[in-house]
Amino acid sequence: MMRPSRLSASYASLLPALNRLGYRADVREASVYGSRCMVVVSGAPTTRVLNDGSWKRDDGMSGPDPAGLLALYRDERAHMAVRNLARHDLKGVARDILVADGIPVGVILDAAEHDGGLAVSYRRVKGVPEDTVIDDWMARAKAAPALLEEIV
């Protein structure tokens, strides 16, 4: 069994913030192709952490440190929220609002406009399905990108 290195521990410290952004993430030790560990994030390219502490994602994005990686995911999440609203993707909008409210959403099961609100069935990362109605959802969806960028 390998003990985590200091380098992988510094990237593992990002996991709570990535989870608050609605991602499922993990750091895995890996001594392959000059990398010390990998950051695996649901729905995103794998990130390889290099020996010097910098990182490079499989899609070509790169940066110098863990803070840069967190900033990238925060920006991507905010852009996704804008795109979900523009496309009128109600499941995506519901996820954005719930995540911005600090609810750890695993999956949105259903979302539909209902009496001026957004009726949502979702499952948290752990637990049983829940139902809620998001009032004033359009204004909250417009505010979600800014709130997602503030998550630390």
Side-chain angles (χ1 to χ4, degrees), residues 4-96:
S5 67
R6 244 184 267 170
L7 187 58
S8 63
S10 68
Y11 279 87
S13 69
L14 300 177
L15 296 179
L18 290 171
N19 290 335
R20 284 190 299 276
L21 284 169
Y23 293 110
R24 284 179 294 214
D26 190 20
V27 174
R28 299 180 185 153
E29 294 290 330
S31 297
V32 180
Y33 305 116
S35 63
R36 294 285 299 274
C37 61
M38 296 184 308
V39 180
V40 181
V41 177
S42 62
T46 299
T47 303
R48 299 181 196 296
V49 178
L50 307 177
N51 289 326
D52 64 358
S54 64
W55 54 269
K56 182 171 173 96
R57 267 192 353 183
D58 287 350
D59 65 355
M61 302 292 288
S62 62
D65 57 18
L69 183 60
L70 180 58
L72 173 68
Y73 280 111
R74 194 179 299 129
D75 290 345
E76 284 182 346
R77 192 71 179 90
H79 289 297
M80 188 184 318
V82 170
R83 188 173 53 234
N84 288 337
L85 184 58
R87 291 181 179 167
H88 202 69
D89 175 0
L90 296 181
K91 284 185 176 183
V93 167
R95 172 182 288 282
D96 299 333

Side-chain angles (χ1 to χ4, degrees), residues 91-149:
K91 284 185 176 183
V93 167
R95 172 182 288 282
D96 299 333
I97 293 169
L98 293 172
V99 167
D101 285 350
I103 298 172
V105 176
V107 64
I108 300 293
L109 303 169
D110 190 36
E113 293 182 63
H114 178 71
D115 293 334
L118 188 61
V120 181
S121 286
Y122 67 97
R123 182 173 295 140
R124 292 176 185 252
V125 173
K126 296 179 182 176
V128 297
E130 299 178 41
D131 296 320
T132 190
V133 175
I134 301 171
D135 295 318
D136 197 20
W137 68 272
M138 187 64 80
R140 293 180 66 194
K142 289 177 182 175
L147 295 172
L148 292 168
E149 286 181 337

